[in-house]
Amino acid sequence: MEKPGAKSVLLVVGGGIAAYKALELIRLLKARGLGTRVIMTKAAEQFVTPLSVAALSGEKVFSELFSLTDETEMGHIELSRSADLVVVAPATADLMAKMAQGLAGDLASTAILATDKPVLIAPAMNVRMWHHPATQRNLATLRGDGIHVVGPNAGDMACGEFGLGRMAEPAEIAAAILDLLGGGAKPLAGRRVLITAGPTREPIDPVRFISNHSSGKQGYALANEAVKLGAQVTLVSGPVAMPAPLGVQLVAVETAEQMLAACEAVPAPDLVICAAAVADWKVANPAPQKLKKNDNSEPPALAFAPNPDILKTLAQKTKGRARLVVGFAAETENVIANAEAKLKRKGCDLIIANDVSQGVFGAGRNTVHLVSASGVENWPQASKDEVARRILEHCAGLLK
Ligand code: C5P
């Protein structure tokens, strides 16, 4: 429902295969209480029907520049200024070219030209069209005109090619819209959030260690988004190649034992998210001096000892347990079944499961499944930032 005094968006839907994603975008904007009026180009009507758009937006859909009835109800100039932000999604190569040239031959381009509000575009087109010098020239012009841009992403295209040109996912566009409208909702305001991230390093001797490929990206994205959603965030991180997100209290650690101690020192978190890739074993007796390689000596036999399970320890605390404890499960097979077993074994409230058989470590995007006592939710692939935002919004809902 649109809240009184809520901000509103004028969404211009261009004619591309990605137009179907505009329906989900409208749903997301409505769910966040934003008013949403829609203009469709004639080409857009080939991909989605005005009836679907009207049903989702709860408003009349505009498409004619020279419609007497529309003009008497709301003139095109008024329409172009009625919202706080104009969003063009999908922004086709044709619409971008029209915008860059200042053309106003139909209602969509006229409204975009006549608006006095900020404009955000979500480009969507074939990879070659995107890389064409004409499109890149238009993009540079639009950026120079102060137009905001979200996406496009790389991926498989409807036309069978692969590359840049896929429209940003609706949730990514919604997040960009909320950022532009200034201070989206702050559902984690007043909440303390503890996040673990990155790998741990378990020493063999003073110069060698055992570690893993975790980049820390997902944990850092979670910390960054948690701050944006209003939380007070402590990020306990193993060694990674990224600076701490702004506004986050960073506690840098190396070993699993240090990570656990740092987590236990955080007073009464409301939400704990363990995204770190903690080494399951440490070297039982790290050598106090560098191990020497003598010509004929045997390689050293390393004995291992188990590391503390941080997630399990924090989830099974009898005193001062966070209200919500969330773990990750990186699996290469039987993703859901393994995550369900992990949920029980660890005693946490939620497991974010992802299939790492396709190489998620260090990648920018992630496909996750939410596994809790109330069932499984499968989420579409999205950037790690977007996955982070959705996880935190979900947790904020559970903490309410
Ligand atoms: O048991 P497994 O390593 O598959 O579980 C993964 C989840 O448990 C992740 O959330 C990870 O951060 C957490 N974990 C932990 N301490 C460990 C091992 C895993 O917090 N020693």
Side-chain angles (χ1 to χ4, degrees), residues 89-156:
T92 56
D94 179 65
L95 261 177
M96 284 177 62
K98 284 183 175 142
M99 288 174 69
Q101 291 302 313
L103 293 177
D106 59 6
L107 181 62
S109 51
T110 304
I112 297 168
L113 192 63
T115 191
D116 57 355
K117 298 294 171 13
V119 177
L120 170 72
I121 63 170
M125 66 199 69
N126 167 273
V127 56
R128 283 172 203 277
M129 291 168 75
W130 174 251
H131 287 298
H132 195 287
T135 303
Q136 291 303 310
R137 212 165 40 236
N138 291 334
L139 178 68
T141 303
L142 293 174
R143 284 195 199 275
D145 290 347
I147 304 287
H148 303 274
V149 183
V150 55
N153 295 331
D156 289 320

Side-chain angles (χ1 to χ4, degrees), residues 196 274-280 307-311 327-329 342 345-346:
T196 71
C274 291
V278 184
D280 291 318
N307 257 334
D309 189 316
I310 298 166
L311 173 60
F328 272 77
K342 195 161 292 180
R345 203 167 60 239
K346 306 265 189 181

Side-chain angles (χ1 to χ4, degrees), residues 69-339:
T69 35
D70 287 3
E71 280 296 306
T72 45
E73 281 171 25
M74 175 172 291
H76 61 272
I77 301 294
E78 194 189 339
L79 183 60
S80 75
R81 298 178 188 172
S82 61
D84 299 285
L85 177 71
V86 176
V87 179
V88 186
T92 56
D94 179 65
L95 261 177
M96 284 177 62
K98 284 183 175 142
M99 288 174 69
Q101 291 302 313
L103 293 177
D106 59 6
L107 181 62
S109 51
T110 304
I112 297 168
L113 192 63
T115 191
D116 57 355
K117 298 294 171 13
V119 177
L120 170 72
I121 63 170
M125 66 199 69
N126 167 273
V127 56
R128 283 172 203 277
M129 291 168 75
W130 174 251
H131 287 298
H132 195 287
T135 303
Q136 291 303 310
R137 212 165 40 236
N138 291 334
L139 178 68
T141 303
L142 293 174
R143 284 195 199 275
D145 290 347
I147 304 287
H148 303 274
V149 183
V150 55
N153 295 331
D156 289 320
M157 323 215 86
C159 51
E161 291 186 67
F162 180 89
L164 268 181
R166 276 175 66 91
M167 188 168 83
E169 292 304 318
E172 290 173 278
I173 302 173
I177 290 171
L178 289 175
D179 281 349
L180 282 169
L181 287 176
K186 302 258 186 246
L188 287 174
R191 304 281 188 205
R192 273 179 216 258
V193 176
L194 165 62
I195 296 170
T196 71
T200 61
R201 277 184 186 173
E202 307 299 333
I204 297 171
D205 66 17
V207 298
R208 302 182 179 94
F209 56 80
I210 293 172
S211 191
N212 59 63
H213 285 303
S214 169
S215 65
K217 273 187 191 158
Q218 186 66 77
Y220 276 56
L222 281 161
N224 191 33
E225 295 297 331
V227 169
K228 283 201 210 160
L229 296 182
Q232 190 184 326
V233 183
T234 305
L235 174 63
V236 178
S237 174
V240 298
M242 278 176 297
L246 281 179
V248 160
Q249 192 196 347
L250 176 74
V251 185
V253 296
E254 295 215 337
T255 66
E257 275 165 359
Q258 290 167 355
M259 188 172 269
L260 177 60
C263 289
E264 289 194 313
V266 175
D270 299 285
L271 166 64
V272 173
I273 306 182
C274 291
V278 184
D280 291 318
W281 300 282
K282 62 180 177 178
V283 176
N285 295 302
Q289 303 300 332
K290 185 181 170 191
L291 293 170
K292 290 281 179 229
K293 179 182 62 151
N294 296 322
D295 277 353
N296 296 319
S297 65
E298 291 287 310
L302 294 179
F304 290 95
N307 257 334
D309 189 316
I310 298 166
L311 173 60
K312 192 169 174 180
T313 310
L314 300 178
Q316 298 189 359
K317 265 174 122 170
T318 43
K319 254 188 166 176
R321 183 196 191 270
R323 275 177 56 204
L324 199 56
V325 180
V326 180
F328 272 77
E331 303 288 351
T332 54
E333 57 179 356
N334 302 327
V335 177
I336 303 296
N338 283 334

